[in-house]
């Protein structure tokens, strides 16, 4: 009886403690299931073969984007000759391209956050290559600017590839890999200049555009294969894409961060597992657990209290980045085309040069020396990459942008100095380096500061504001330049200084910071 009473009391004590009755030898507690997030998985997998291949393929997308945008600086003198265009009509060509980019920039960002990055990038390649090819058959100036605006719309979609690439790169490698993307942009710029030098004098500008579409078609073939469409499982299943037998298909995944944001955890795990195998690494122990996000593509998050100041400053920063970059590109081509170096009264000498009886009105095509100068200036976009990487890792994103903006303002005014062609080339080389570096850092900061649920949308808004700068730049660099070289260069310098002040007010430094999944 005593033993039964003692056992009853012990059992009652265990039940009062809230734990189940266990035999005396079972004293250990069961282990809890381990979990991990996509951020932890990306950091654990680390850098490897997958990231190299993704970097090369997505970098090649920058080649196509650069060729479509930089084509304008080469083709402008040619269409000026063919259709006898005024300065403002030539400037309108660039403006219409950036108008299409601006309108579709926000739309592509919303679609990318709502339905996936991969689909938007692929669709952008289709649109840009198709309408660029049609441009070569444009029968008139009006058709030309209309088709080029649609090309800009397609390029807006391809720019989302930067987000797709960023979301797979571990934090400590982003400051190294992302600045190197400018190498591909430089390659694209140089390719279009080489096409202008070799094709335009013999076959004309229309064949130059047709040849420039070839890289788009090649890359489009690489994007036709989905990562693992048959293993995806979602609450709202989408139609799977046709899987083509291409060895490159395995290197084009949908973002795992996007997959978990839409609740498609199985697809995210399948992608991460395959990346781990390619990198000869392993995922963290446990299960991938992240709640689905219902506010994907919500515009309000961009102007909510945590991101309001950041968004406003970034919108202006992107405006200045594009304004200064295309200002440097178009100003250099305008100075070379109209021979305005060391010209004190540009309006008078400009008019004299354009009324030659043996030439068409306003028709001054590029010479070989002009193409060489443009080629050398393109090299400036990668010459200071080591400096760019060093600044990003040592002083951070914000201070890097401030330094490069202030230096850009100085060199914009130095370009006006009367010097030899060699001196002008050196100044232009350094100016292109600085504005290109600033554009790179703005890209990196934007992709890092916004959460996954609005990362593409935030990038879309920013790129749209940047295209406003691209729309205004031609009218200053190409129209005002004919009136006064100093007045044409001063707005770019002033904008850079004001932007540097704004960057100093940004509340967040993203160096070494993990990518946010949601806005809370």
């Amino acid at each position: 009886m005593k033993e039964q009473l003692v056992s009853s009391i012990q059992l009652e004590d265990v039940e009062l403690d809230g734990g189940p009755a266990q035999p005396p030898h079972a004293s250990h507690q069961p282990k809890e299931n381990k979990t991990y997030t996509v951020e932890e998985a990306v950091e654990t997998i680390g850098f490897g073969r997958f990231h190299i291949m993704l970097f090369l393929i997505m970098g090649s997308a920058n080649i196509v984007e650069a060729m479509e945008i930089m084509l304008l600086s080469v083709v402008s003198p040619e269409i000026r000759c063919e259709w006898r265009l005024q300065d403002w009509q030539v400037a309108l060509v660039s403006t219409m391209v950036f108008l299409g980019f601006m309108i579709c920039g926000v739309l592509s960002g919303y679609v990318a956050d709502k339905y996936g990055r991969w689909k938007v990038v692929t669709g952008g390649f289709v649109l840009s290559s198709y309408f660029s090819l049609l441009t070569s058959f444009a029968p008139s100036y009006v058709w030309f600017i209309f088709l080029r605006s649609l090309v800009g719309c397609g390029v807006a979609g391809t720019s989302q590839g930067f987000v797709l690439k960023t979301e797979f790169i571990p934090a400590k490698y982003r400051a190294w890999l992302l600045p190197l993307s400018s190498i591909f942009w430089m390659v694209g710029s140089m390719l279009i200049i080489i096409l202008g030098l070799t094709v335009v004098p013999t076959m004309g500008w229309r064949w130059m555009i047709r040849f420039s579409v070839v890289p788009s078609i090649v890359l489009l073939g690489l994007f036709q294969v989905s990562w693992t469409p048959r293993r995806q499982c979602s609450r709202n299943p989408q139609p799977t894409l046709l899987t083509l037998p291409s060895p490159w298909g395995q290197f084009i995944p949908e973002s795992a961060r996007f997959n978990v944001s839409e609740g498609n955890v199985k697809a995210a795990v399948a992608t991460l597992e395959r990346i781990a195998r390619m990198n000869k690494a392993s995922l963290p122990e446990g299960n991938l657990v992240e709640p689905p996000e219902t506010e994907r593509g919500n515009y309000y998050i961009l102007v909510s209290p945590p991101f309001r100041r950041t968004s406003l400053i970034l919108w202006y920063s992107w405006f200045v980045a594009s304004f200064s970059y295309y200002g440097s590109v178009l100003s250099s081509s305008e100075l070379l085309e109209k021979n305005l170096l060391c010209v004190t009264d540009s309006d008078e000498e400009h008019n004299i040069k354009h009324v030659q009886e043996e030439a068409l009105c306003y028709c001054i095509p590029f010479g070989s020396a002009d193409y060489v100068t443009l080629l050398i200036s393109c090299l400036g976009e990668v010459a200071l990459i080591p400096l760019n990487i060093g600044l990003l890792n040592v002083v951070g994103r914000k201070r890097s942008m401030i330094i490069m903006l202030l230096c850009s303002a100085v060199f914009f005014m130095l370009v006006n100095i009367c010097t030899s062609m060699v001196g002008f080339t050196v100044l232009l080389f350094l100016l292109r380096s600085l504005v290109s570096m600033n554009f790179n850092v703005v890209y990196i900061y934007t992709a890092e500061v916004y959460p996954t649920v609005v990362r593409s949308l935030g990038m879309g808004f920013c790129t749209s504001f940047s295209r406003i700068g691209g729309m205004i730049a031609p009218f200053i660099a190409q129209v005002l330049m004919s009136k006064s070289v100093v007045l044409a260069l001063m707005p770019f310098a002033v904008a850079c200084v004001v932007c540097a002040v704004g960057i100093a007010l940004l509340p967040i430094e993203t160096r070494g910071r993990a990518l946010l999944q949601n806005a809370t």
Side-chain angles (χ1 to χ4, degrees):
M1 290 292 292
K2 290 182 179 180
E3 292 177 359
Q4 292 178 354
L5 181 59
V6 171
S7 298
S8 299
I9 292 173
Q10 290 177 344
L11 180 60
E12 184 176 349
D13 289 339
V14 173
E15 291 175 347
L16 289 174
D17 289 339
Q22 295 181 350
H25 62 275
S27 60
H28 64 277
Q29 297 293 330
K31 295 183 179 178
E32 295 181 359
N33 291 329
K34 293 183 178 180
T35 61
Y36 63 89
T37 63
V38 176
E39 179 69 25
E40 293 170 341
V42 170
E43 297 297 330
T44 301
I45 293 172
F47 180 81
R49 178 170 171 259
F50 163 77
H51 296 92
I52 295 175
M53 299 307 300
L54 182 67
F55 176 76
L56 292 176
I57 295 176
M58 297 309 301
S60 300
N62 290 342
I63 294 178
V64 173
E65 183 179 354
M67 292 183 71
E68 294 296 350
I69 297 297
M70 300 304 295
L71 178 144
L72 301 174
S73 63
V74 177
V75 80
S76 292
E78 303 302 322
I79 62 173
R80 188 199 299 267
C81 292
E82 181 162 335
W83 290 312
R84 302 195 177 191
L85 303 179
Q86 302 289 329
D87 286 340
W88 69 268
Q89 292 175 306
V90 176
L92 187 61
V93 175
S94 301
T95 298
M96 292 300 294
V97 173
F98 294 131
L99 177 63
F101 203 129
M102 181 187 71
I103 294 174
C104 293
V106 175
L107 179 61
S108 64
Y110 173 79
V111 175
D113 278 330
K114 202 74 175 178
Y115 303 104
R117 284 77 158 116
W118 187 88
K119 297 176 183 177
V120 173
V121 176
T122 306
F125 272 113
V126 174
L127 288 178
S128 60
S129 59
Y130 176 71
F131 288 112
S132 183
L133 183 61
L134 288 184
T135 302
S136 66
F137 298 97
S140 65
Y141 168 73
V142 174
W143 270 106
F144 183 86
I145 60 174
F146 172 71
L147 292 171
R148 291 311 298 180
S149 66
L150 295 179
V151 171
C153 191
V155 173
T158 63
S159 65
Q160 290 298 327
F162 190 87
V163 174
L164 179 62
K165 179 170 54 180
T166 302
E167 292 183 336
F168 279 114
I169 301 176
K172 67 178 181 179
Y173 292 100
R174 290 199 294 267
W176 293 86
L177 285 179
L178 297 181
L180 292 174
S181 299
S182 58
I183 294 177
F184 297 99
W185 183 277
M186 178 209 69
V187 171
S189 300
M190 295 184 68
L191 282 176
I192 203 66
I193 294 173
I194 292 172
L195 282 177
L197 176 63
T198 57
V199 176
V200 172
T202 57
M203 304 176 69
W205 62 268
R206 296 179 185 272
W207 275 104
M208 181 192 72
I209 294 180
R210 291 163 193 164
F211 285 128
S212 71
V213 177
V214 174
S216 297
I217 297 175
V218 173
L219 277 174
L220 185 60
L222 304 183
F223 275 82
Q224 289 308 299
V225 186
S226 179
W227 177 259
T228 51
R230 293 170 182 168
R231 299 185 65 179
Q232 293 181 359
C233 179
S234 175
R235 297 177 182 177
N236 300 311
Q238 300 291 332
T240 59
L241 297 174
L242 176 64
T243 302
L244 299 179
S246 170
W248 294 91
Q250 59 182 317
F251 304 123
I252 311 295
E254 178 57 89
S255 169
R257 296 179 190 270
F258 168 76
N259 287 144
V260 296
S261 71
E262 67 167 352
N264 197 351
V265 177
K266 289 187 178 181
V269 172
T271 297
L272 293 171
E273 287 178 345
R274 196 163 182 182
I275 294 174
R277 288 196 299 270
M278 290 182 64
N279 288 5
K280 296 182 180 179
S282 58
L283 293 177
E285 295 184 6
N287 300 316
L288 176 61
V289 176
E290 284 196 26
E293 302 294 338
T294 58
E295 295 190 342
R296 287 181 292 115
N298 189 341
Y299 294 87
Y300 173 74
I301 294 176
L302 299 178
V303 292
S304 62
F307 294 101
R308 184 178 299 136
R309 187 200 297 182
T310 298
S311 293
L312 292 175
I313 296 176
L314 277 181
W315 292 344
Y316 179 69
S317 300
W318 276 78
F319 167 85
V320 173
S322 179
F323 182 63
S324 59
Y325 179 83
Y326 293 109
S328 68
V329 172
L330 296 174
S331 295
S332 60
S333 63
E334 197 74 4
L335 287 168
L336 292 172
E337 179 192 350
K338 296 179 180 177
N339 195 24
L340 295 178
L341 299 178
C342 299
V343 170
T344 55
D345 188 352
S346 60
D347 186 48
E348 180 181 353
E349 297 192 30
H350 167 265
N351 288 333
I352 291 175
K353 190 168 185 178
H354 284 296
V355 294
Q356 299 177 21
E357 295 181 359
E358 66 272 13
L360 293 173
C361 180
Y362 293 98
C363 182
I364 309 176
F366 279 157
S368 298
D370 297 328
Y371 282 114
V372 171
T373 300
L374 291 177
L375 279 174
I376 295 174
S377 67
C378 286
L379 293 174
E381 298 191 12
V382 299
L384 298 184
I385 284 181
L387 176 62
N388 194 1
I389 294 175
L391 288 174
L392 287 171
N393 285 284
V394 175
V395 305
R397 280 57 161 160
K398 289 173 54 178
R399 291 179 182 177
S400 295
M401 286 187 281
I402 293 172
I403 293 172
M404 287 179 283
L405 283 166
L406 294 178
C407 291
S408 297
V410 173
F411 275 92
F412 263 114
M413 299 313 299
L414 288 178
V415 170
N416 181 55
I417 294 177
C418 182
T419 182
S420 64
M421 180 60 71
V422 175
F424 173 76
T425 303
V426 172
L427 291 174
L428 185 60
F429 180 90
L430 295 174
L431 176 60
R432 288 283 292 273
S433 297
L434 291 166
V435 295
S436 177
M437 286 166 56
N438 179 61
F439 220 146
N440 284 333
V441 182
V442 172
Y443 255 109
I444 295 170
Y445 183 89
T446 304
E448 291 179 334
V449 77
Y450 285 123
T452 299
V453 291
V454 290
R455 185 168 294 120
S456 288
L457 183 62
M459 186 71 76
F461 262 98
C462 288
T463 54
S464 291
F465 274 92
S466 76
R467 301 315 158 186
I468 297 176
M471 292 165 62
I472 298 175
F475 286 95
I476 296 177
Q478 293 180 306
V479 178
L480 189 58
M481 186 71 73
S482 297
K483 303 299 180 183
S484 172
V485 176
V486 176
L487 290 179
L489 295 175
M490 188 175 296
F492 301 110
V494 173
C496 289
V497 173
V498 175
C499 186
V501 176
I503 293 295
L505 301 177
L506 282 172
I508 301 172
E509 171 57 62
T510 62
R511 181 181 58 167
R513 181 172 176 259
L515 297 182
L516 299 177
Q517 186 67 17
N518 53 54
T520 57

